[in-house]
Amino acid sequence: MVWAFGLCAADDGVWTALREGRAVLLLRHANAPGLGDPPGFVLDDCATQRNLDSAGRAQAQRWGALLREKGISKPRVISSRWCRALETANEMELGPVEPFAALDSFFAQPEGNVPKTETLHEFLAGLSAAAPPIVLITHQVNITALTGVFPRSGEGLILALPFKDRPQVLARISPP
């Protein structure tokens, strides 16, 4: 059983909101040992980045299984362009993955916080409640800047739509 803010995240209301497009899942990428990226990081070269380990790949697969179990089998999956986020999305096996620069980490460049967060905020505010379920895969710094929550690897937040200036967190879901 997964708990969220003292409430069981297995609560059908939270999952129904996600299924019906009245909420989005904002997920920190699965377990990738280390902090930040190594010197010489290159966006298009996974060998230069911090990547998922076997535990991270298994964690991402469990996320995919959990979402399918909750009736969310064909969501729109949008990911940071970092390899660990894309691999999380792919390991979930929920369908095509759309890279989105606003979900990219700004850990090494904290001054990148405001533009990325504003773009992500505008994107979320523009979503209609009739949209298909949406899963966003990003990084701790992005989630914290947007919501004030410091998630651990593989942790997810279900955020209410319509998106407001101050995000409403419906559930905080521990990594499965």
Side-chain angles (χ1 to χ4, degrees):
M1 187 160 297
V2 182
W3 293 88
F5 293 127
L7 301 172
C8 178
D11 171 45
D12 286 336
V14 171
W15 297 108
T16 299
L18 186 58
R19 265 192 312 276
E20 293 177 353
R22 295 182 289 114
V24 298
L25 174 62
L26 183 63
L27 179 67
R28 182 177 177 188
H29 62 77
N31 193 61
L35 181 67
D37 284 293
F41 162 85
V42 176
L43 182 61
D44 295 327
D45 184 356
C46 293
T48 68
Q49 300 180 34
R50 204 173 99 227
N51 294 296
L52 300 186
D53 61 6
S54 59
R57 286 186 289 282
Q59 192 177 62
Q61 291 163 6
R62 288 191 304 272
W63 259 112
L66 174 63
L67 290 170
R68 286 186 292 278
E69 174 188 315
K70 298 298 181 184
I72 303 161
S73 59
K74 299 213 184 273
R76 183 176 174 197
V77 180
I78 306 169
S79 174
S80 157
R81 298 175 299 163
W82 266 234
C83 294
R84 59 187 169 270
L86 289 167
E87 187 176 9
T88 298
N90 288 318
E91 289 289 337
M92 292 169 74
E93 297 182 347
L94 295 170
V97 178
E98 301 171 44
F100 184 38
L103 294 170
D104 291 353
S105 177
F106 52 82
F107 180 82
Q109 301 160 330
E111 68 280 357
N113 161 324
V114 174
K116 278 191 174 38
T117 304
E118 286 177 354
T119 301
L120 182 55
H121 194 283
E122 289 170 12
F123 171 78
L124 291 167
L127 294 175
S128 70
I134 295 178
V135 175
L136 302 164
I137 301 158
T138 190
H139 308 267
Q140 173 271 311
V141 292
N142 304 66
I143 294 171
T144 302
L146 185 69
T147 67
V149 174
F150 191 106
R152 57 190 183 166
S153 294
E155 185 174 357
L157 303 177
I158 297 182
L159 306 178
L161 292 177
F163 195 75
K164 307 216 186 298
D165 286 336
R166 192 163 171 89
Q168 180 185 2
V169 178
L170 299 176
R172 186 170 175 177
I173 305 175
S174 297

